[in-house]
Amino acid sequence: MKTLITDSPRLAAHYLTRGGLVAFPTETVYGLGADVFNEKAIRKIFTAKGRPIDNPLIIHITSVRELPMLVRSVPPVAQQLVDAFFPGPLTIIFPRHKGVSPLVTAGLPTVAVRMPRHPTTQKFLRACRTPVAAPSANRSGRPSPTTWQAVRDDLDGRIDCILKGGPTRVGLESTVVDCTRKVPVILRTGAITLEEIQKIHPGVKLARHAGTGSPKSPGLKYRHYAPEAKIRIIDTPAQIHPVKSAGYIGLRSPSEGFGEVKICSSLADYARVFFHFFRVCDRKKIRTIYCERVPKRGLGLAIMDRLERAAHP
């Protein structure tokens, strides 16, 4: 298969509506999309990514008017979150409509939906004229793609089309909130923080994951976000000895001598660039990447979630 690379949302949508797989930019990371009502196309996503079949997909929409074809009901707390954060980097878990294939939801009675804010994504989704199921556009387990070039590196020849866009603004996958429980819970942290969500609904909690069965959200059960290099999380760069075969990323400057270094200006900058930094280090054959630990509050909670999963053996 030859993968077309284009900057035309309409041309990319043409490939999707004909049953193809299309990678597209969002404000979080690049997604790999298929028509949510085309089960044959959905199966191609799992094949192209090497993705486990029990890992559910997120459905992307352009308008809340599309919700009735995807969800059985909209719980009151879900409506509050939709009003506050759609469009944006938030995914909500709803009761599943019977018209959505169990292949999309890993056989669960729930479905994950989000409405991206990215203008190119909106143009693409409108041209598709159907909700689009899409995980991140990378090989399963690899760092999430924040540029179209990263998508090409992982999936060239395995998918039909890549819709070009600039580097993603957020750099982290969407926050996922399960609104099907009596007490809503955050299944996956992201750019919309626990604190921001609790301003809308103070009762929202962080989930505790058991790690068995089909997860309701992507990014929970399997090793994720990992480069070829070993990830080591450190408290301060002063505790490590720089060598050319190692890389470093963090908020504070290390000693000279690392093979690759990224000093981040803020937590938002850290979140935006570390997946890209992982891929740069892999291209340069860096063996170990040292990542500075940050406090687990606000955006730091999501950063540490991704770093810890990438470091897990």
Side-chain angles (χ1 to χ4, degrees):
M1 178 190 300
K2 181 175 176 59
T3 300
L4 175 76
I5 300 174
T6 181
D7 57 7
S8 168
R10 187 171 296 278
L11 179 57
H14 171 75
Y15 277 85
L16 184 134
T17 56
R18 291 171 64 89
L21 299 186
V22 176
F24 59 96
T26 76
E27 67 272 28
T28 56
V29 299
Y30 274 70
L32 178 60
D35 180 348
V36 73
F37 299 119
N38 185 332
E39 192 162 288
K40 183 177 179 181
I42 296 296
R43 290 188 182 277
K44 293 179 185 178
I45 290 178
F46 293 93
T47 301
K49 284 176 58 72
R51 183 183 178 90
I53 204 75
D54 64 346
N55 205 0
L57 308 178
I58 293 173
I59 302 176
H60 295 63
I61 62 173
T62 59
S63 168
V64 293
R65 291 191 296 272
E66 295 173 272
L67 283 176
M69 70 177 77
L70 304 172
V71 310
R72 194 170 68 249
S73 63
V74 179
V77 64
Q79 187 63 58
Q80 288 179 303
L81 296 178
V82 165
D83 293 341
F85 298 114
F86 275 24
L90 180 72
T91 294
I92 298 176
I93 306 292
F94 297 91
R96 178 179 68 89
H97 189 284
K98 63 181 180 180
V100 176
S101 169
L103 188 62
V104 175
T105 67
L108 296 169
T110 56
V111 63
V113 182
R114 96 172 184 97
M115 186 192 302
R117 181 181 294 276
H118 194 291
T120 300
T121 315
Q122 286 286 330
K123 291 177 182 177
F124 167 66
L125 293 175
R126 284 196 294 270
C128 289
R129 296 189 174 185
T130 181
V132 171
S136 56
N138 57 305
R139 295 297 293 271
S140 189
R142 293 275 293 146
S144 296
T146 58
T147 66
W148 69 264
Q149 293 93 336
V151 178
R152 180 186 59 191
D153 290 345
D154 274 13
L155 298 176
D156 190 24
R158 302 176 68 88
I159 64 175
D160 298 275
C161 179
I162 299 172
L163 175 58
K164 291 169 61 175
T168 59
R169 179 181 60 82
V170 174
L172 288 174
E173 299 82 2
S174 59
T175 305
V176 179
V177 182
D178 183 359
C179 291
T180 65
R181 310 185 187 191
K182 185 175 181 180
V183 177
V185 295
I186 295 177
L187 299 181
R188 183 177 72 185
T189 54
I192 296 178
T193 66
L194 169 65
E195 293 84 354
E196 290 173 317
I197 292 171
Q198 286 180 333
K199 288 180 181 178
I200 304 301
H201 190 87
V204 173
K205 306 290 185 183
L206 286 174
R208 294 182 179 180
H209 301 296
T212 59
S214 294
K216 284 188 176 182
S217 168
L220 301 182
K221 185 177 179 181
Y222 298 95
R223 186 175 186 235
H224 280 72
Y225 321 121
E228 295 175 13
K230 296 290 186 182
I231 299 297
R232 298 286 183 263
I233 301 172
I234 59 171
D235 294 320
T236 170
Q239 72 186 77
I240 52 175
H241 180 70
V243 293
K244 287 294 184 182
S245 61
Y248 167 83
I249 184 170
L251 299 173
R252 289 176 285 186
S253 299
S255 301
E256 294 184 1
F258 284 98
E260 191 69 23
V261 172
K262 172 61 181 176
I263 310 303
C264 304
S265 60
S266 63
L267 286 178
D269 187 36
Y270 201 161
R272 184 168 52 249
V273 302
F274 75 81
F275 281 142
H276 178 68
F277 182 76
F278 286 177
R279 288 178 175 269
V280 169
C281 287
D282 277 351
R283 286 197 295 271
K284 294 190 174 184
K285 306 300 181 182
I286 295 294
R287 297 179 181 178
T288 305
I289 303 172
Y290 293 100
C291 304
E292 184 182 6
R293 189 185 309 276
V294 296
K296 289 186 176 182
R297 57 177 179 270
L299 189 56
L301 188 63
I303 293 171
M304 290 307 303
D305 170 73
R306 305 312 193 272
L307 293 183
E308 289 171 356
R309 291 181 186 277
H312 194 275

